[in-house]
Amino acid sequence: MYSWILLTAFAAITKAAVVPVPETVTVEAVTVPAVEKVPVVAAADVNVSELSTQAASVVTTLSSSQLASFAPFTQFARAAYCPSNEIASWNCGEACRANSGFQPTLTGGDGNDVQLFFVGYWPSQNSVVVAHQGTDPTQFLSVLTDASILQRNLDPGLFPGVPSSVFIHGGFADAHAETAPAILAETKRLIATKGATSVTLIGHSLGGAIAELDALFMKLNLPSNIHVKAVTYGTPRVGNAAWPAYFDAQVPDFTRVNNEKDPIPIVPGRGLGFAHPHGEVHIVSPGKAVACSPDDNATDAQCTISTVPNIFLSNILDHLGPYEGINIGTIFCN
């Protein structure tokens, strides 16, 4: 109980107004250049999507280099909690210094009604990056374990062609819809002006759920030659059993990283009709992680649903990390 009180006291969400980056240029018409070949992205080079096509409960131990390759994505997830004025100038301490070449072009959210987010260009990967802030994990856990959670279909205006059998957590759908149009417009602008060939979606906690939805959103609304990649941390279940079946086919380059006994990835419960897509990487202990497949039924003892069978055997502090030495949350911005 003490750790929960301590975490609540320190994990207040930073409020910031929408801060457009000064040199952002408004583009009325966007023409996406043709791309003959999508380059291989070196960071986070473990291809979890390939593992998900194997037999049930396949577990592969990640090498130290594979585990270390997630660090740039982890730092982006960490930066998403920082005030928008710091992100606009890319001066948010260690998280910004770790990806020093990144060029932010749009920030938004207030850290309260709308989660903070940023969009920008990552030259070393020739990729647009979109990152979303999470929320206070103690409050979030209460919401996610509430049996009154309602699911609904995705908005066809944002997600064209998604089967009617797919249902999503209504709160996550609303949070995503708050920022989706502005983020898509800026993403298209950067693709046109920078010649980016990929889009990378990143988030932690609630931000991870929004990033997961963003990944499908981008896949359905961008040209097919734009590679869509997503890396999330401590992500809750987003939709029903039909959700991963559809998502897996549309977004094969997806990784969701879980840390030790974090309870957030096991909620909302499968008994409430929720399921994860593929891509689990479980940090078992510092320096050791495994890739688990297929989707939400990798029952090996090293995978999350066996390590954390219920929230009473979990540790909410693991939700903040460390993810291989990197903690994520408002108090870790600088």
Side-chain angles (χ1 to χ4, degrees):
M1 178 62 71
Y2 175 78
S3 66
W4 282 54
I5 296 172
L6 181 65
L7 185 58
T8 304
F10 283 100
I13 299 299
T14 300
K15 294 187 177 181
V18 174
V19 184
V21 176
E23 296 184 355
T24 299
V25 178
T26 300
V27 178
E28 295 182 355
V30 176
T31 302
V32 180
V35 180
E36 294 183 1
K37 184 179 181 181
V38 176
V40 175
V41 179
D45 54 2
V46 57
N47 191 342
V48 179
S49 62
E50 289 183 357
L51 297 174
S52 67
T53 63
Q54 301 176 22
S57 296
V58 171
V59 173
T60 303
T61 301
L62 273 64
S63 68
S64 57
S65 62
Q66 287 175 325
L67 194 52
S69 71
F70 286 105
F73 305 96
T74 315
Q75 295 288 12
F76 277 128
R78 178 184 181 185
Y81 281 85
C82 299
S84 291
N85 64 318
E86 294 182 5
I87 296 300
S89 60
W90 205 236
N91 185 27
C92 63
E94 182 183 339
C96 288
R97 290 192 297 270
N99 291 313
S100 59
F102 180 70
Q103 302 166 16
T105 61
L106 178 69
T107 66
D110 59 11
N112 187 12
D113 293 329
V114 179
Q115 301 309 113
L116 296 174
F117 71 88
F118 65 82
V119 184
Y121 178 62
W122 192 10
S124 67
Q125 302 300 317
N126 195 24
S127 182
V128 178
V129 171
V130 179
H132 293 271
Q133 174 203 33
T135 190
D136 181 339
T138 58
Q139 296 180 21
F140 195 35
L141 183 62
S142 297
V143 172
L144 293 174
T145 54
D146 188 338
S148 66
I149 291 170
L150 298 178
Q151 298 179 354
R152 67 167 187 259
N153 291 126
L154 286 165
D155 180 351
L158 296 176
F159 294 88
V162 174
S164 60
S165 60
V166 173
F167 285 83
I168 297 298
H169 183 292
F172 298 163
D174 288 341
H176 174 263
E178 291 273 8
T179 60
I183 287 174
L184 179 62
E186 182 63 8
T187 298
K188 287 182 175 180
R189 190 190 74 81
L190 287 172
I191 290 172
T193 59
K194 299 292 188 179
T197 53
S198 68
V199 178
T200 306
L201 297 315
I202 298 169
H204 167 258
S205 193
L206 172 58
I210 299 172
E212 187 173 317
L213 287 166
D214 252 354
L216 180 62
F217 174 64
M218 293 294 178
K219 181 68 175 180
L220 297 178
N221 288 281
L222 292 176
S224 59
N225 57 10
I226 301 300
H227 182 72
V228 175
K229 177 185 187 69
V231 182
T232 69
Y233 297 83
T235 307
R237 294 184 177 101
V238 170
N240 68 345
W243 165 251
Y246 184 74
F247 182 91
D248 289 357
Q250 297 293 325
V251 188
D253 195 353
F254 176 69
T255 304
R256 49 184 181 89
V257 183
N258 300 332
N259 184 50
E260 300 197 31
K261 293 191 175 183
D262 179 3
I264 300 298
I266 68 166
V267 292
R270 292 187 294 175
L272 295 175
F274 286 84
H276 272 304
H278 69 288
E280 179 187 354
V281 167
H282 184 216
I283 299 174
V284 179
S285 60
K288 181 180 180 181
V290 294
C292 299
S293 66
D295 290 337
D296 204 8
N297 55 350
T299 55
D300 185 273
Q302 297 180 91
C303 300
T304 297
I305 62 173
S306 291
T307 302
V308 193
N310 58 66
I311 62 172
F312 304 105
L313 297 177
S314 68
N315 183 354
I316 192 65
L317 293 177
D318 285 344
H319 187 57
L320 302 182
Y323 296 86
E324 285 306 290
I326 302 170
N327 288 92
I328 303 176
T330 305
I331 61 174
F332 305 110
C333 281
N334 298 307

